[in-house]
Amino acid sequence: MASLVKKIISTAKAPAALGPYSQAVLVDRTMYIAGQIGIEPSTGQLVSGGAKEEAKQALKNMGEILKAAGCDYGNVFKTNFPARAAYQVAALPKGARVEIEAIAIQGPLQDASA
């Protein structure tokens, strides 16, 4: 049985993971992007302006992680806004209001015909 390759994806253009996490992990061609919050990478601080601005920054951060793996938003096939972000089952780091995580496939994707 062939073994799968696991690679840690990291970039200085997105905030470092808070805690014992990686920004993303690539297993074979599947990339699991850890939950991103609206932290400005250059300051390490949460952006101001509420949930909308935090979501924009979280998506920018995610875009930089995708780029680090040779991908873009077109490679993303699943995103998740964890329930704790909406219902506060547990508080998010730094008092963030929004967290976005994603799964992407590395490499070219082609839609199958029905």
Side-chain angles (χ1 to χ4, degrees):
M1 178 178 199
S3 62
L4 297 174
V5 175
K6 178 176 96 172
K7 179 181 178 185
I8 302 300
I9 305 297
S10 181
T11 177
K13 293 181 179 182
L18 300 172
Y21 308 104
S22 302
Q23 290 172 328
V25 177
L26 181 67
V27 178
D28 195 24
R29 291 182 53 214
T30 304
M31 182 167 46
Y32 302 90
I33 303 171
Q36 297 299 303
I37 60 176
I39 293 178
E40 169 58 49
S42 62
T43 66
Q45 299 300 311
L46 201 60
V47 296
S48 60
K52 181 178 178 180
E53 294 306 313
E54 288 181 30
K56 284 182 185 178
Q57 185 63 50
L59 289 168
K60 284 182 189 176
N61 296 340
M62 187 175 291
E64 293 298 337
I65 295 167
L66 286 163
K67 282 183 201 173
C71 298
D72 60 30
Y73 294 110
N75 295 91
V76 174
F77 71 91
K78 183 180 188 299
T79 58
N80 188 23
F81 295 82
R84 65 182 183 183
Y87 303 107
Q88 193 161 346
V89 173
L92 293 170
K94 296 193 175 247
R97 295 171 181 91
V98 175
E99 180 182 56
I100 305 170
E101 59 189 32
I103 300 173
I105 299 294
Q106 189 181 48
L109 298 175
Q110 179 179 343
D111 288 332
S113 58

